[in-house]
Amino acid sequence: MANVTVIGSQWGDEGKGKIVDWLSSRADVVVRFQGGHNAGHTLVINDKVYKLHLLPSGIVRPGKLSIIGNGVVVDPWALLKEIDDVRAQGVEISPETLKIADNVNLIMPVHSAMDEALEAARGKGQLGTTKRGIGPTYEDKVARRGIRLCDLRDPVLLREKLEKLMVHHNALLKGLGASEICPQEIFDQLMQIADQVLVYADQVWRVLEQARRRGDKILFEGAQGIMLDVDHGTYPFVTSSNIVAAQASTGSGVGPKAIGTVLGITKAYTTRVGTGPFPTEQLNEDGERMGQRGHEFGTTTGRKRRCGWFDATLVRQAVTICGIDGIALTKLDVLDGFDELKICTGYLLDGKKLDYFPAGQNEQARIEPVYMTLPGWNESTRGARSFSDLPPAAVKYVHVIEELIGAPVFLLSTSPERDDTILLKDPFYG
Ligand code: GDP
Ligand code: IMO
Ligand code: MG
């Protein structure tokens, strides 16, 4: 029996939250391993809607252990607010059910201020970040001046580290015409909440080792999607972390063999929030229709998501880079009622055919999609709970996708509701 690693195979918002919630009934432990509260994972259970940003999606199921691994960046104020919000929805959260790696890097108020200031300075070249301070925090981590959760236990060291951090950031803020921030102010704010956050701190790598020895099933929950990966995505229009499945290992402190079956969460069409290349984008009625039927508005920022046809070339690349064993195909129901559906099978660059998504920024902006066209269906697939309930044209669409991306469909999702999910192959027994 394998563990399972869930990752987004497009530009995020593929429905990872829904699928992780569904799979978590079979898991004992759910682990976030990268990203931060830039993520927005939606769970719909009966009439209740949960919007999770930092907390693993297993948190809503009693008896499961939720873990935030060292690869995540944690805004402690956002974390405490989210814990309060989710508790107010009736979910129990305690140091027994939530553990945060004590070596995790923290997002400070200066990081969100810097995210804003840097975006403003980019002018027309804005990346469209979530302004949550994600990029500046990862920068500080790699530059070896980050503030970590364990530092909250050591006020003398923390005060020293903040002083050094702010020498760096205040010089930049000043240069960008933004207000400087006093290190003592951040120190005081941190001291007010230190105890509330430290109750969750633990050596997550050991907790996971103990879980493995017990034979627990571990579900690793990725955020964002492969095309936002800092190495493999549409650089520089990406987030600042690695999103690939291998990050589940470095971002939580387990060996690479522990990540188990890799499940790529894949929307039946394509969306993107923020700026950057998107070859199959449909700035027309088709894109509007997908956006309306799929309620494509960002869970974190409320921004309208850009919509377009399914890009099989891009997902095939994700399958290779992440070692995806199978996919969960989501939001098939959104495509009900289209006369025809298009799937991108490759690109043209200056008249030459490409069967891969190129790395160059200008090439990515210039490539033109090559499409195949398939018939649509008029029947409703919304809420279908058996593959045999799907109209033949929908079945064909699913099989064509499997063939083009080189990976089978393990799960199929037909509405936001937890139970409107068709299991074709159990990834835990993958
Ligand atoms: P995530 O970031 O990958 O977890 O995805 P989001 O939660 O940001 O966005 C996915 C949206 O689609 C959410 O509003 C989900 O409730 C919704 N959703 C998930 N699966 C399906 C599905 O199969 N059909 C429909 N119509 N909506 C879905
Ligand atoms: P989930 O987990 C979609 C995008 C932002 C922006 C870029 C960089 O819900 O799928 P950042 O704030 O990370 O520096 O912004 O990444 N982005 C997402 N897009 N879903 C997400 O998460 C995202 N997290 C970041 O819109 O284009
Ligand atoms: Mg989302």
Side-chain angles (χ1 to χ4, degrees):
M1 188 185 304
N3 294 328
V4 174
T5 295
V6 158
I7 42 142
S9 67
Q10 292 149 319
W11 274 288
D13 303 325
E14 298 92 348
K16 297 176 291 294
K18 165 173 170 167
I19 299 297
V20 170
D21 167 56
W22 191 87
L23 285 173
S24 66
S25 74
R26 292 160 155 72
D28 304 290
V29 186
V30 184
V31 187
R32 275 282 306 269
F33 55 86
Q34 48 73 231
H37 65 316
N38 50 348
H41 296 179
T42 317
L43 281 50
V44 183
I45 303 161
N46 299 323
D47 287 336
K48 266 194 175 161
V49 179
Y50 301 89
K51 290 181 188 289
L52 302 174
H53 301 283
L54 258 175
L55 295 173
S57 296
I59 198 92
V60 301
R61 292 207 190 244
K64 310 288 171 184
L65 177 60
S66 292
I67 288 187
I68 297 180
N70 57 278
V72 176
V73 285
V74 173
D75 178 325
W77 294 277
L79 172 80
L80 292 175
K81 182 174 181 311
E82 189 170 329
I83 290 175
D84 280 350
D85 290 349
V86 174
R87 272 192 187 137
Q89 289 188 281
V91 175
E92 273 187 42
I93 302 175
S94 72
E96 277 65 54
T97 60
L98 174 67
K99 301 209 180 283
I100 307 177
D102 58 1
N103 53 349
V104 89
N105 274 251
L106 298 180
I107 302 181
M108 298 287 111
V110 64
H111 293 122
S112 6
M114 190 57 80
D115 203 349
E116 290 259 349
L118 287 170
E119 272 290 77
R122 286 184 191 114
K124 272 193 188 161
Q126 287 200 358
L127 305 180
T129 75
T130 59
K131 298 188 181 153
R132 300 292 193 269
I134 306 293
T137 307
Y138 278 117
E139 282 178 41
D140 278 350
K141 170 180 172 172
V142 176
R144 294 158 293 188
R145 52 172 176 260
I147 307 293
R148 310 201 307 172
L149 181 53
C150 48
D151 297 335
L152 301 190
R153 291 196 195 108
D154 188 342
V156 176
L157 176 72
L158 177 66
R159 185 68 186 78
E160 256 170 48
K161 286 185 76 171
L162 283 169
E163 194 69 45
K164 285 190 189 140
L165 184 77
M166 292 319 298
V167 168
H168 171 82
H169 281 290
N170 277 336
L172 283 174
L173 285 170
K174 204 167 158 195
L176 290 164
S179 317
E180 293 182 38
I181 300 174
C182 167
Q184 183 67 38
E185 213 176 282
I186 307 181
F187 178 80
D188 292 342
Q189 288 173 10
L190 275 173
M191 283 297 101
Q192 277 177 25
I193 55 152
D195 290 344
Q196 293 170 61
V197 188
L198 279 171
V199 293
Y200 302 105
D202 214 324
Q203 297 88 50
V204 151
W205 59 274
R206 285 182 68 196
V207 174
L208 287 172
E209 169 60 8
Q210 285 155 6
R212 292 189 65 207
R213 280 183 196 281
R214 280 196 303 270
D216 282 1
K217 282 182 273 290
I218 306 173
L219 178 55
F220 296 93
E221 176 178 7
Q224 290 85 50
I226 184 70
M227 280 293 139
L228 291 167
D229 181 282
V230 69
D231 285 297
H232 296 286
T234 45
Y235 192 90
F237 301 97
V238 291
T239 192
S240 298
S241 65
N242 279 117
I243 288 158
V244 285
Q247 177 63 23
S249 163
T250 32
S252 63
V254 298
K257 287 184 194 150
I259 67 175
T261 304
V262 181
L263 184 69
I265 314 302
T266 307
K267 209 177 265 193
Y269 48 102
T270 314
T271 62
R272 169 163 210 176
V273 211
T275 40
F278 179 178
T280 62
E281 183 171 19
Q282 296 300 301
L283 294 165
N284 55 28
E285 266 178 32
D286 289 331
E288 279 297 313
R289 187 181 160 91
M290 290 174 206
Q292 273 171 19
R293 289 184 54 87
H295 302 289
E296 295 295 357
F297 292 92
T299 312
T300 298
T301 58
R303 287 177 292 175
K304 195 172 174 186
R305 295 174 184 151
R306 300 155 65 192
C307 296
W309 297 120
F310 186 80
D311 190 337
T313 313
L314 188 147
V315 177
R316 186 170 61 230
Q317 200 150 316
V319 167
T320 305
I321 289 166
C322 296
I324 289 174
D325 295 298
I327 65 165
L329 191 67
T330 61
K331 304 190 97 164
L332 187 69
D333 55 294
V334 173
L335 298 180
D336 293 352
F338 276 90
D339 291 336
E340 287 186 332
L341 298 167
K342 291 187 177 171
I343 297 181
C344 170
T345 56
Y347 310 107
L348 283 179
L349 180 65
D350 302 328
K352 259 179 57 187
K353 183 122 195 260
L354 294 186
D355 62 357
Y356 63 94
F357 195 81
Q361 195 178 329
N362 284 329
E363 291 174 334
Q364 289 181 354
R366 275 178 29 239
I367 49 172
E368 284 173 32
V370 176
Y371 289 114
M372 70 185 285
T373 304
L374 291 170
W377 56 90
N378 273 322
E379 300 88 332
S380 170
T381 63
R382 194 172 166 98
R385 292 192 182 178
S386 155
F387 203 69
S388 57
D389 289 344
L390 300 179
V395 171
K396 172 145 196 223
Y397 186 74
V398 173
H399 287 325
V400 168
I401 285 178
E402 287 179 312
E403 198 164 305
L404 289 172
I405 66 171
V409 173
F410 283 6
L411 288 150
L412 194 72
S413 166
T414 57
S415 101
E417 256 294 332
R418 178 188 267 175
D419 293 326
D420 291 338
T421 307
I422 302 170
L423 176 66
L424 297 164
K425 181 168 181 186
D426 191 331
F428 279 108
Y429 295 87

